[in-house]
Amino acid sequence: MMKLVLPVYADVVAAAGRIEGHANRTPVMTSRTVNEEFGAEVFFKCENYQRMGAFKFRGAMNALSQFTPEQKAAGVVAFSSGNHAQAIALSARLLGIPATIVMPEDAPAAKIAATKEYGGKVILYNRYTEDRQQIGDDLAQKHGMTLIPPYDHPHVIAGQGTAAKELFEEVGDLDALFVCLGGGGLISGCALAARHLSPNCKVYGVEPEAGNDAQQSFRAGKIVRIDTPKTIADGAQTTFLGNYTFELIRQNVDDIFTASDAELVKSMKFFAERMKMVVEPTGCLGFAAARGLKDELRGKKIGIIISGGNVDIGRYGEFLTQASQL
């Protein structure tokens, strides 16, 4: 097997230069209510205000910006449940690259619609019976396109790390950083930034309770595969980590926690009511886990990455109603 050449912090810095002027430098927000509840200083890096509504734009733009003229002409293919799909479609449109996106047929309707609106050609598949990687590989081979996976790619990882780079540049050293975890692209890149800019910061990944493949992998010291988890955190319904992301998590992450769907809807309700923000279920993972650990975080300076805000409005209303009944 070919030896992996892992991205390093210098790649995150280079990515920041490439995406500048394209990606939003998203706001860092605080809440007095949260600070009082935690007895700590808590800073939210709000990637729900990123272009196309999620951090994924960073990695997609960084990857596509490095295409050769031949790659640009042949086009890009990607597979995703939604946010990477939109990120690739929008980045491709901005750079004049044709984009084909493989999406699960049960992906949120708003994410499928947005991907099409950004100019992506959408191909639907059944996430429970078909292999998206195989579909993507076949399309790439048949049409000479370049496949950009949602997380297990050095350029994608480096791009995602720019979110934490901006956070540390704005607020300085942190004691702990909580990052949503699906395939691991976001936390892999953010951990590179943390290790360089705030070496004593503990980096914690958070995944859905029903889909804790990364936690199992982290404990076992090898990639553990699971069945597609049933969770409202559709952006983290991954079944295994990638080779790059597993190795970077193994080297740079301190621990991995989980959050239940009930904790996610409570967090969504808090963000809506108290901070006037729409956050998708996956985007609530970091806050949900930090809330469960607030006694241990007392007196600390905490960073939480809110990964995105793309959620069907109808479902969003249902989630908030559900939270009110908990």
Side-chain angles (χ1 to χ4, degrees):
M1 189 174 139
M2 205 170 66
K3 189 176 187 305
L4 289 180
V5 179
L6 298 175
V8 295
Y9 180 64
D11 296 312
V12 178
V13 175
R18 277 186 210 103
I19 69 173
E20 192 173 0
H22 293 292
N24 295 335
R25 192 177 178 97
T26 52
V28 175
M29 296 176 72
T30 58
S31 160
R32 195 172 58 189
T33 305
V34 172
N35 288 348
E36 285 172 3
E37 182 188 327
F38 280 56
E41 273 188 291
V42 182
F43 299 91
F44 295 97
K45 178 64 169 168
C46 298
E47 287 295 292
N48 48 320
Y49 293 118
Q50 188 49 264
R51 288 185 80 163
M52 50 68 46
F55 74 93
K56 293 278 191 181
F57 181 74
R58 297 173 180 274
M61 180 52 81
N62 185 48
L64 269 55
S65 294
Q66 297 179 69
F67 272 26
T68 63
E70 293 75 23
Q71 284 178 304
K72 284 183 176 178
V76 61
V77 60
F79 48 79
S80 160
S81 65
N83 284 339
H84 179 63
Q86 293 172 79
I88 290 287
L90 176 56
S91 300
R93 190 179 78 180
L94 294 170
L95 296 169
I97 301 170
T100 300
I101 318 291
V102 179
M103 298 184 75
E105 57 198 10
D106 63 346
K111 292 185 177 183
I112 294 174
T115 302
K116 289 177 177 175
E117 283 163 21
Y118 289 136
K121 178 188 172 189
V122 174
I123 294 174
L124 298 175
Y125 77 102
N126 184 318
R127 75 161 94 216
Y128 299 101
T129 60
E130 295 180 279
D131 181 352
R132 65 183 192 171
Q133 176 84 47
Q134 192 60 56
I135 298 167
D137 287 341
D138 290 348
L139 285 165
Q141 210 163 5
K142 189 175 173 185
H143 303 289
M145 296 185 283
T146 302
L147 176 69
I148 298 294
Y151 52 86
D152 204 36
H153 190 290
H155 298 168
V156 170
I157 290 166
Q160 316 309 27
T162 60
K165 177 180 180 287
E166 289 174 11
L167 175 63
F168 286 113
E169 285 170 352
E170 189 162 331
V171 305
D173 282 330
L174 292 171
D175 295 306
L177 178 67
F178 288 82
V179 187
C180 318
L181 205 172
L186 179 61
I187 194 169
S188 295
C190 287
L192 289 174
R195 290 290 161 255
H196 190 86
L197 297 173
S198 184
N200 297 320
C201 176
K202 299 278 190 201
V203 179
Y204 300 124
V206 189
E207 57 189 343
E209 197 172 69
N212 71 331
D213 61 292
Q215 189 182 57
Q216 290 183 51
S217 303
F218 189 71
R219 307 266 192 271
K222 63 179 185 194
I223 295 174
V224 173
R225 292 171 182 249
I226 61 169
D227 291 332
T228 301
K230 299 279 200 294
T231 171
I232 61 169
D234 62 279
Q237 280 182 300
T238 41
T239 57
F240 59 93
L241 293 172
N243 294 318
Y244 288 99
T245 59
F246 171 70
E247 197 51 43
L248 288 164
I249 286 168
R250 198 181 65 75
Q251 290 180 16
N252 299 311
V253 171
D254 291 282
D255 207 350
I256 296 174
F257 303 115
T258 64
S260 68
D261 281 4
E263 289 169 324
L264 296 182
V265 294
K266 283 184 200 165
S267 298
M268 290 173 81
K269 183 170 183 277
F270 178 87
F271 284 134
E273 285 185 344
R274 304 309 294 264
M275 296 181 73
K276 313 308 172 199
M277 285 199 299
V278 174
V279 180
E280 66 186 274
T282 309
C284 295
L285 284 164
F287 180 48
R291 263 183 139 171
L293 296 163
K294 61 190 175 193
D295 291 344
E296 295 161 49
L297 299 173
R298 196 162 293 284
K300 302 272 175 68
K301 191 175 168 188
I302 314 300
I304 296 174
I305 309 267
I306 295 175
S307 61
N310 293 326
V311 57
D312 278 339
I313 290 300
R315 291 228 51 209
Y316 184 64
E318 288 168 22
F319 291 142
L320 297 186
T321 304
Q322 200 182 324
S324 301
Q325 294 160 356
L326 291 171

